[in-house]
Amino acid sequence: MDTDSFDSLPEVLQELYINMQDDLYDGLKDEVADATTEALEQWGQTPGQILQRGLVAGMDIVGQDFRDGILFVPEVLLAAKAMKGAMEILRPLLTDAKDVQRQGTVVIGTVKGDIHDIGKNLVGMMLEGAGFEVINLGINVDAEQFLAALREYNADILGMSALLTTTMPYMRTVIQRLNEEGMREQTVVLVGGAPLTEAFAEDIGADRYCEDAAVAVEAAKVFMEMKKRDS
Ligand code: B1M
C-alpha cells in the first residue's frame, strides 16, 4: 500500500479502511461489503483505491499470517469469500466499457493444479473494463482447455495465472503446446501471479510478466496496438 497517500486521508476514512482490512481478515463478508459500499458512495473512492487501500492490503495480511501458521485454510477461505463479495460490488464499475474503444479477445485462466482465482478474476474484470472480450476459463485449467478456447474464440491473448511455486512451471507446458500446434506466433502470452518473476516469464517464453492487474491491462493494450500496426 502507498502509505504516504494513506496517511494523508481523513482519519475517518483511514479507520474505514483499517476496519475493512480487519473484517476481511475475520472473514466478515457483510461488513466488508458494507464498508466497500460506504467507501464508494460516501467517500467517492474509486474501485482501484478500495482494492489497494482496503481489500488487497487486507489480503496481504491474511497471506502473511497464513504463511506463518497463524491462519489456516478454513479462515483464509472465509477471507477469500469476503473479498469476492466486495469484488462483486466493484465488478460493474470495473467492467463498464461503454465509452471505451473495443479491443481484442483474451482467454484467461488459473493453470492446472491451482485453485487461486481472486487475482485472475480481478485481471479479467479490468481487461473487460478496458474494452477486451474476456473468456474466463476459471481454475485448474489444462493446456488442452486453453488451446481449445483460443481456437474457439479466435483469441488474441492468453492470460495465465499461478499462485503456487508448484503450479507455475505448468505455464511452460501450455506454451510448449502452443508451439507444437503452430499457435504461438499469433497468440500473445501474458503471465501473472504472486510467485512469478520477469526472469521466469522470459525463461518459459512468455511475452510479458504482469505484476498486477493494471500492468496486465497496459500490456494487453500495447500488444493489440502492435498487432493492429503489423496487420
Ligand atoms: Co493459498 N497460498 N493455498 N489459498 N493463498 C498462497 C498463494 C501462499 C503464498 C500463502 C502463503 O504461504 N503465504 C501459498 C503459496 C506458497 C508458494 O507456493 N509460494 C499458498 C498455499 C501454500 C496454499 C495451499 C497449498 C495451502 C494448503 O492447502 N496447505 C492451497 C493450494 C490449493 C491449490 O491451489 N491447489 C491454498 C489454498 C488457498 C485458499 C483456497 C484457502 C485461498 C484461495 C481462494 C481463491 O482464490 N478463491 C487461498 C488464498 C486466498 C491465498 C492468499 C492468502 C491470497 C491470494 C490472493 O487472492 N491475493 C495467498 C497469499 C498471497 O498471495 N499473499 C496464498 C489477492 C490477489 C488480488 O492477488 O492473486 O497475487 P494475486 O493477484 C494479483 C497479481 O499476482 C496479478 O494481478 C493480481 C491483481 O493485481 N496476477 C495476474 C494474478 N494472476 C494474474 C494473471 C495475469 C496477470 C496478472 O494474466 C495475464
Side-chain angles (χ1 to χ4, degrees), residues 47-113:
Q49 287 167 335
I50 295 170
L51 280 162
Q52 272 324 110
R53 295 170 174 167
L55 302 172
V56 173
M59 196 49 105
D60 280 347
I61 304 169
V62 171
Q64 284 155 24
D65 282 2
F66 189 25
R67 182 196 57 212
D68 295 343
I70 297 164
L71 289 181
F72 298 95
V73 169
E75 289 111 318
V76 179
L77 264 178
L78 285 179
K81 278 199 182 130
M83 174 132 186
K84 283 186 166 188
M87 277 164 61
E88 282 312 308
I89 297 171
L90 301 179
R91 177 190 286 275
L93 301 167
L94 289 170
T95 56
D96 178 18
K98 265 199 303 287
D99 304 322
V100 175
Q101 198 191 339
R102 298 311 300 171
Q103 303 271 355
T105 302
V106 183
V107 165
I108 192 167
T110 303
V111 299
K112 187 176 162 186

Side-chain angles (χ1 to χ4, degrees), residues 51-52 55-69 71-81 83-84 87 106-124 126-127 139-140 157-168 171 189-196 208-217 219-220:
L51 280 162
Q52 272 324 110
L55 302 172
V56 173
M59 196 49 105
D60 280 347
I61 304 169
V62 171
Q64 284 155 24
D65 282 2
F66 189 25
R67 182 196 57 212
D68 295 343
L71 289 181
F72 298 95
V73 169
E75 289 111 318
V76 179
L77 264 178
L78 285 179
K81 278 199 182 130
M83 174 132 186
K84 283 186 166 188
M87 277 164 61
V106 183
V107 165
I108 192 167
T110 303
V111 299
K112 187 176 162 186
D114 201 320
I115 62 170
H116 295 87
D117 65 355
I118 294 174
K120 179 262 301 170
N121 289 345
L122 192 53
V123 173
M126 287 187 54
L127 283 167
I139 54 174
N140 194 23
I157 298 175
L158 169 62
M160 286 188 281
S161 179
L163 266 283
L164 299 173
T165 41
T166 48
T167 56
M168 57 190 239
M171 292 176 167
V189 180
L190 304 180
V191 293
L196 272 67
R208 177 81 201 260
Y209 160 62
C210 307
E211 63 194 72
D212 61 27
V215 172
V217 170

